Amino acid sequence: MRPSVLGSAMRPSASPLVSPWRFVSLADGSSLDPLQAVIESGLAEGLTVGAAVRLTGSWVASPGAAQSHELQVREVKVLGSSDAKTFPIQKKYQTPEYLRTLPHLRPRTPLNALLLRLRSEAVTSLTQFFARQDFVQTHPPIITSSDCEGAGEVFTLNPANDMAGQPGKESADSQDSFFRSKKYLTVSTQLHLEALAQSVGNVWTLSPVFRAEQSDTSRHLSEFYMLEAEMSFVDDMNSVMDLAEDMMRQLGTDLYQSDTVKSLLTRTPHFGQDLAPAGEVDRRWQGLMQPDWPRITYTEAIDILKQHEDKFEHKPVWGAGLQSEHEKFIASTVGKDRPVFVTNYPRDIKAFYMRPTRGPGSEDPSRVTVDCFDLLVPELCEIAGGSMREHQLEPLLDIMTRQGIIKSPSETASEDDSGNGLQWYADLRRWGCPPHGGFGLGFDRLLSYLSGVQTVRDIVSFPRWYGRCDC
Amino acid sequence: MRPSVLGSAMRPSASPLVSPWRFVSLADGSSLDPLQAVIESGLAEGLTVGAAVRLTGSWVASPGAAQSHELQVREVKVLGSSDAKTFPIQKKYQTPEYLRTLPHLRPRTPLNALLLRLRSEAVTSLTQFFARQDFVQTHPPIITSSDCEGAGEVFTLNPANDMAGQPGKESADSQDSFFRSKKYLTVSTQLHLEALAQSVGNVWTLSPVFRAEQSDTSRHLSEFYMLEAEMSFVDDMNSVMDLAEDMMRQLGTDLYQSDTVKSLLTRTPHFGQDLAPAGEVDRRWQGLMQPDWPRITYTEAIDILKQHEDKFEHKPVWGAGLQSEHEKFIASTVGKDRPVFVTNYPRDIKAFYMRPTRGPGSEDPSRVTVDCFDLLVPELCEIAGGSMREHQLEPLLDIMTRQGIIKSPSETASEDDSGNGLQWYADLRRWGCPPHGGFGLGFDRLLSYLSGVQTVRDIVSFPRWYGRCDC
């Protein structure tokens, strides 16, 4: 806050109008707490809720108890007037559900401005972290040729003008004409990142990804940002987990002392149930900054869960995925406040590109696992996931053929115009592919967790989910 | 390059096989120049073109003239073998056109690895620049509700599974069901950025944007990254131009001394016509770092062009857009090597949201202009564009209604479920909108210009354009 401030919103106080002074609350998005300005009533015309103003005056010690200083105003200029009677964000408590119906205005509330700053500071911290580690930041494509990466339902796209001439009806031809075949919005940049990692070694991206799932939960959006990193010449999955852990710990350390996070943790009880309690959110930040996050295998996790079987609605069974209740139990009992890596899940419930586990403990043919991990945090469950990638050609072609992803192991990408578009991914192994692995982190989920909002819809400015895409 | 290096590609030299030694070129993406390794013939099995290897040895002074040092190898491990006979990137000159057919392998060539590094370093520089200026980095939405922002043809999207049950045919209902109405891929984040700027003052983003234009030029892609910034409480367009200029000058200063740009400028003539001459590329960097970029009005530009009318295929006429030949002439004669701002274009050829010019020189009713600018560079023409935005409600509603963007000036977003989805943008003016402006920079175009590649298709890893979307 600055003494002579440009404010984006002013709210008249409840002081009686007979007073020769008006007290107005001024906000410019830099703080949860407003700045108090004291203005002669005669100057206060147009200072309605929501107005954009320029006030000039003196920054003086305040006689009031609520603030140390206040702005004594000698000049008022209304830069953008506001019809306070119709302004949808009145000066009172508004529920997150209501604010969500106004995504174009919601950012103006102090909490939402703070969340915008949190996102920005997180991106800067991550950019610096990866630059120091000599990781190359990349822009993998959003429009992709494959719908079968196994990460969920996809959106397809058409050029709009194809439809203009054929209202209500269109042929497969017209749909596919722009790119000559059907194209999709990416569900994960991983496969393309692997190609880029073969160029410069270690790469990362913070990219929008898309899922056309008809889910209506606090953890899912149709459009969200994913942070993905890929390391080359790495054979031990611990290196990939080290990277994920170091990155998140650095993020915690960078931001915990910032004004933004301090505001988040010292906010007034005003926010009620909209945010997790400040003490709880503080524990999340503290957990992020702790060293030595536990790493247990899926098999160990199942053993732990079985000892507490009666606590769960779904019985823990080796071979089945972990339910939310299982993940929560593991996160809170094994991790305490620290995130927990659960590694080496059964092959049959994981993606085709993951490398099968070898070595001691992996001999049982009825319990084939892959070198992968999920990173679990209390309350929110999975926040990141990664794996070693199958880097050998024959085993990859084998599983891709068995799963119907490619037609036959013999084709190469250049012969595969008619395929579903993933021969190129197998081809990466044909000409010199080192062992490699990486992870993806749900960036919006992480910010939800670290801010304490109740749903990922409240951390994204213009959230899109099944049935909703406003503005 | 490191003495004991992990290389992603090795190429055998042409040395006679009778020698007890083999010389191999090793690349890890960090340099245009390969590292020379000297290996006993007996150890060299599997060291084929493209293979991924781990070599251990001693870093010693080289007797050869081509390098100061070389790696004398005592241990070889092939981590990923390569079938050199079928490897599509043989050890010889490959045209950019040919490499473009192999986007998954192209990044492995030294030049393309360098271009990946250039992009990464540019993103880091820009992130730091905006963080220092206290601009908030944001993630505006990719899926949007409007197809009429005036920036070109748009892509529409469907959830893929809607089509599964209805091959070759689908009803308007099924297309629109996921989000309840038709949605599009963003052509520019500007309108949403304006909403976010009202929250925290100054914002920016580096976001993918999409155009479904059927153009086949060296400057256009269907998917590309745009850097957009928006400033609040700014009334003088010079502030916006200052920001664009300062940002690009800082980018130039940060990167010019980097190993990446040094490599780009000291490369061997090997690249032939694929890159603009090094001296030319150097002048582009120097121009970026120069102070005081010229700012002339469109009207002044037309006057200059008219003095050289006989040079142009298209006659310069006040009221018409500037042709490429005009922009090139202005950029090279007015700017010399510096970029040139051309401001205040005629209203009728610019977007609806631009603020009409007021004040001295804008009195002629037959020559109404708007407060906007294009930033021109020699050879590439327009690289950025910006404007002041109409921040007053009535004039904006007026032009939006006249252009058919909204149905009537009286509705607000909440009443406008049936509209084309831009009432929310007008509503931003209803409740306290300060003067503001911003710009958008074609990030891939800028990197093309600064690297000297012949087409923007060669600066993007997986380029998408009309008819082409590989991998």
Side-chain angles (χ1 to χ4, degrees):
Chain A
M1 290 242 171
R2 287 149 285 155
S4 179
V5 75
L6 295 172
S8 60
M10 298 198 70
R11 298 183 183 85
S13 78
S15 64
L17 286 173
V18 291
S19 159
W21 299 98
R22 292 277 299 279
F23 299 92
V24 298
S25 296
L26 192 66
D28 72 348
S30 69
S31 163
L32 280 183
D33 299 316
L35 181 152
Q36 172 160 286
V38 186
I39 303 177
E40 236 182 285
S41 288
L43 287 176
E45 198 182 344
L47 297 187
T48 52
V49 174
V53 299
R54 170 177 283 129
L55 303 182
T56 311
S58 308
W59 186 235
V60 300
S62 173
Q67 59 280 319
S68 72
H69 286 72
E70 61 190 21
L71 183 68
Q72 281 191 348
V73 176
R74 64 171 176 273
E75 198 185 329
V76 171
K77 196 165 180 192
V78 177
L79 301 173
S81 62
S82 171
D83 179 1
K85 279 198 291 289
T86 61
F87 189 35
I89 304 182
Q90 292 294 319
K91 196 194 174 191
K92 61 171 188 177
Y93 171 75
Q94 318 273 0
T95 65
E97 290 75 18
Y98 173 69
L99 289 173
R100 227 174 278 142
T101 66
L102 303 163
H104 57 309
L105 301 174
R106 182 176 68 159
R108 292 205 212 172
T109 66
L111 175 60
N112 280 284
L114 192 76
L115 297 178
L116 282 172
R117 290 192 175 274
L118 178 68
R119 173 178 295 265
S120 179
E121 290 166 18
V123 175
T124 303
S125 165
L126 292 163
T127 301
Q128 290 169 339
F129 170 84
F130 280 112
R132 281 195 302 269
Q133 311 269 331
D134 207 22
F135 273 61
V136 173
Q137 185 170 3
T138 62
H139 288 150
I142 307 299
I143 302 175
T144 63
S145 293
S146 172
D147 66 343
C148 63
E149 293 170 35
E153 298 292 338
V154 298
F155 288 104
T156 55
L157 70 144
N158 308 323
N161 59 352
D162 274 7
M163 290 187 290
Q166 300 160 293
K169 182 169 183 299
E170 65 194 56
S171 70
D173 276 1
S174 76
Q175 279 177 37
D176 302 344
S177 66
F178 191 90
F179 288 122
R180 300 196 294 202
S181 61
K182 199 164 284 175
K183 298 300 169 187
Y184 311 92
L185 295 187
T186 187
V187 293
S188 156
T189 66
Q190 176 204 319
L191 307 190
H192 294 89
L193 269 191
E194 287 184 55
L196 299 177
Q198 293 204 346
S199 165
V200 287
N202 294 329
V203 295
W204 76 288
T205 190
L206 181 58
S207 173
V209 298
F210 304 84
R211 307 275 163 93
E213 279 157 16
Q214 302 186 2
S215 49
D216 183 13
T217 82
S218 63
R219 308 194 306 145
H220 294 89
L221 290 173
S222 302
E223 169 182 332
F224 56 100
Y225 270 76
M226 188 123 91
L227 189 159
E228 293 182 275
E230 197 70 28
M231 305 173 82
S232 282
F233 292 100
V234 160
D235 207 9
D236 180 350
M237 191 167 67
N238 281 302
S239 304
V240 181
M241 289 189 279
D242 289 347
L243 177 71
E245 187 176 332
D246 289 347
M247 175 193 83
M248 290 172 72
R249 190 179 300 114
Q250 187 65 52
L251 179 73
T253 309
D254 282 355
L255 266 61
Y256 188 67
Q257 298 297 333
S258 71
D259 287 343
T260 301
V261 174
K262 277 185 199 160
S263 295
L264 202 56
L265 297 177
T266 58
R267 60 198 148 88
T268 60
H270 166 79
F271 295 100
Q273 300 297 310
D274 304 350
L275 291 176
E280 168 59 35
V281 176
D282 192 35
R283 272 195 299 280
R284 298 178 185 180
W285 284 93
Q286 298 285 354
L288 216 62
M289 292 186 283
Q290 281 186 46
D292 303 325
W293 300 356
R295 298 177 185 185
I296 64 171
T297 65
Y298 166 87
T299 303
E300 288 164 345
I302 291 289
D303 289 345
I304 292 168
L305 293 168
K306 279 190 168 162
Q307 292 163 26
H308 302 271
E309 206 164 67
D310 51 338
K311 291 197 173 75
F312 305 117
E313 191 182 337
H314 303 269
K315 200 175 156 182
V317 183
W318 201 101
L322 297 183
Q323 300 289 326
S324 281
E325 57 177 346
H326 302 151
E327 292 183 338
K328 279 182 187 171
F329 185 83
I330 294 291
S332 52
T333 57
V334 177
K336 310 285 192 298
D337 294 324
R338 291 169 300 178
V340 179
F341 290 101
V342 179
T343 68
N344 299 92
Y345 284 69
R347 171 160 197 158
D348 292 345
I349 59 170
K350 286 292 183 179
F352 73 91
Y353 49 72
M354 294 181 179
R355 183 178 76 180
T357 311
R358 298 181 194 94
S362 63
E363 297 84 359
D364 184 347
S366 71
R367 288 193 162 193
V368 178
T369 64
V370 285
D371 289 335
C372 69
F373 62 85
D374 280 0
L375 181 63
L376 310 181
V377 292
E379 295 97 35
L380 210 74
C381 307
E382 187 199 339
I383 206 159
S387 79
M388 300 305 298
R389 323 305 187 185
E390 179 56 77
H391 75 283
Q392 298 181 95
L393 181 64
E394 300 307 331
L396 185 69
L397 288 175
D398 183 49
I399 192 161
M400 287 175 79
T401 310
R402 275 193 287 127
Q403 294 196 7
I405 296 169
I406 55 175
K407 287 178 190 163
S408 90
S410 60
E411 298 161 280
T412 65
S414 49
E415 298 157 359
D416 182 37
D417 278 338
S418 59
N420 67 28
L422 274 186
Q423 270 287 4
W424 68 267
Y425 180 71
D427 279 1
L428 294 179
R429 279 72 181 166
R430 227 175 261 278
W431 301 294
C433 185
H436 63 288
F439 68 86
L441 165 83
F443 186 60
D444 301 301
R445 276 195 192 174
L446 176 65
L447 293 181
S448 299
Y449 180 69
L450 292 176
S451 61
V453 295
Q454 287 183 329
T455 155
V456 73
R457 294 170 192 173
D458 289 342
I459 202 76
V460 170
S461 300
F462 295 90
R464 279 81 176 88
W465 71 93
Y466 180 53
R468 287 305 286 272
C469 175
D470 298 341
C471 298
Chain B
M1 289 240 171
R2 286 148 286 154
S4 177
V5 76
L6 296 171
S8 60
M10 297 201 71
R11 298 185 184 85
S13 79
S15 63
L17 286 173
V18 292
S19 158
W21 299 99
R22 293 275 299 281
F23 299 92
V24 298
S25 297
L26 193 65
D28 72 348
S30 68
S31 164
L32 280 182
D33 299 316
L35 182 152
Q36 170 159 286
V38 185
I39 303 177
E40 236 182 282
S41 287
L43 286 176
E45 198 182 343
L47 297 187
T48 51
V49 174
V53 300
R54 170 177 283 127
L55 303 182
T56 311
S58 307
W59 187 236
V60 299
S62 173
Q67 59 280 317
S68 71
H69 286 72
E70 61 189 22
L71 183 69
Q72 280 190 349
V73 176
R74 62 172 179 273
E75 198 184 328
V76 171
K77 196 164 180 193
V78 177
L79 301 173
S81 61
S82 173
D83 179 2
K85 278 197 292 291
T86 60
F87 189 34
I89 304 182
Q90 293 293 318
K91 196 194 174 191
K92 60 171 189 179
Y93 171 76
Q94 319 272 359
T95 66
E97 290 73 18
Y98 174 69
L99 290 173
R100 227 173 279 143
T101 66
L102 303 163
H104 57 310
L105 302 174
R106 183 177 67 158
R108 293 206 212 170
T109 65
L111 175 61
N112 280 284
L114 191 76
L115 297 179
L116 281 173
R117 290 191 175 276
L118 178 69
R119 173 178 295 264
S120 179
E121 290 166 17
V123 175
T124 303
S125 164
L126 292 164
T127 302
Q128 290 169 340
F129 170 83
F130 280 113
R132 282 194 302 269
Q133 311 270 330
D134 206 21
F135 273 62
V136 173
Q137 186 170 3
T138 62
H139 288 150
I142 307 300
I143 302 174
T144 62
S145 293
S146 172
D147 66 343
C148 63
E149 293 171 35
E153 298 294 338
V154 298
F155 288 105
T156 54
L157 70 147
N158 308 323
N161 60 353
D162 273 7
M163 290 187 290
Q166 299 159 292
K169 180 169 185 300
E170 64 194 54
S171 70
D173 275 2
S174 76
Q175 279 177 37
D176 302 343
S177 67
F178 192 88
F179 288 123
R180 301 194 294 198
S181 61
K182 201 164 283 176
K183 299 299 169 188
Y184 311 91
L185 295 187
T186 188
V187 293
S188 155
T189 67
Q190 177 205 318
L191 307 191
H192 295 89
L193 269 191
E194 287 185 55
L196 300 177
Q198 293 206 345
S199 165
V200 288
N202 294 328
V203 296
W204 76 288
T205 191
L206 181 58
S207 174
V209 297
F210 304 84
R211 306 274 164 95
E213 279 156 15
Q214 301 187 2
S215 47
D216 185 14
T217 82
S218 64
R219 308 194 306 144
H220 292 89
L221 290 173
S222 302
E223 170 183 330
F224 57 99
Y225 270 75
M226 187 124 90
L227 189 160
E228 293 181 274
E230 197 69 29
M231 305 173 82
S232 283
F233 292 100
V234 161
D235 208 9
D236 181 351
M237 192 167 68
N238 281 301
S239 305
V240 181
M241 290 189 278
D242 288 347
L243 177 70
E245 186 177 333
D246 290 347
M247 176 194 83
M248 290 173 71
R249 189 179 301 113
Q250 186 65 52
L251 180 73
T253 309
D254 282 355
L255 266 60
Y256 188 67
Q257 298 298 332
S258 70
D259 287 344
T260 301
V261 174
K262 277 186 201 160
S263 296
L264 202 56
L265 297 177
T266 58
R267 59 195 151 88
T268 59
H270 165 79
F271 295 98
Q273 299 298 308
D274 303 351
L275 291 176
E280 168 59 36
V281 177
D282 192 33
R283 271 195 299 280
R284 297 178 185 180
W285 284 93
Q286 298 285 354
L288 216 61
M289 292 186 284
Q290 281 186 45
D292 303 325
W293 299 356
R295 298 175 186 186
I296 65 170
T297 65
Y298 166 87
T299 302
E300 289 165 346
I302 291 289
D303 289 344
I304 292 168
L305 294 167
K306 281 191 166 161
Q307 291 163 26
H308 304 270
E309 206 164 66
D310 52 338
K311 292 196 173 74
F312 306 118
E313 190 181 337
H314 302 269
K315 198 176 157 185
V317 183
W318 201 101
L322 297 183
Q323 301 289 326
S324 282
E325 57 177 346
H326 302 152
E327 292 184 338
K328 279 180 187 171
F329 185 83
I330 294 291
S332 52
T333 57
V334 177
K336 310 284 192 297
D337 295 323
R338 291 169 300 175
V340 179
F341 291 100
V342 179
T343 69
N344 300 92
Y345 284 68
R347 169 159 199 158
D348 291 346
I349 58 171
K350 286 292 181 178
F352 73 91
Y353 50 72
M354 294 180 178
R355 184 179 74 179
T357 312
R358 298 181 193 95
S362 61
E363 297 83 359
D364 185 347
S366 70
R367 288 193 161 192
V368 177
T369 64
V370 285
D371 289 335
C372 70
F373 62 86
D374 280 0
L375 181 62
L376 310 181
V377 293
E379 293 98 32
L380 209 76
C381 307
E382 188 199 338
I383 206 159
S387 79
M388 300 306 298
R389 323 304 187 186
E390 178 55 77
H391 74 284
Q392 297 182 98
L393 182 63
E394 301 307 330
L396 186 68
L397 288 175
D398 182 50
I399 192 161
M400 288 176 77
T401 310
R402 274 192 286 127
Q403 295 196 6
I405 296 170
I406 55 175
K407 288 179 191 162
S408 90
S410 60
E411 297 162 281
T412 65
S414 49
E415 298 156 0
D416 182 37
D417 279 338
S418 58
N420 68 27
L422 274 187
Q423 269 287 4
W424 68 267
Y425 180 72
D427 278 1
L428 294 179
R429 278 73 180 164
R430 224 174 263 278
W431 299 295
C433 185
H436 63 287
F439 68 86
L441 166 84
F443 185 59
D444 302 302
R445 277 196 193 173
L446 176 66
L447 293 181
S448 300
Y449 180 69
L450 292 176
S451 61
V453 295
Q454 288 183 330
T455 154
V456 72
R457 294 170 191 172
D458 288 343
I459 201 75
V460 170
S461 301
F462 295 89
R464 279 83 177 85
W465 71 93
Y466 181 53
R468 287 304 287 272
C469 175
D470 298 341
C471 298

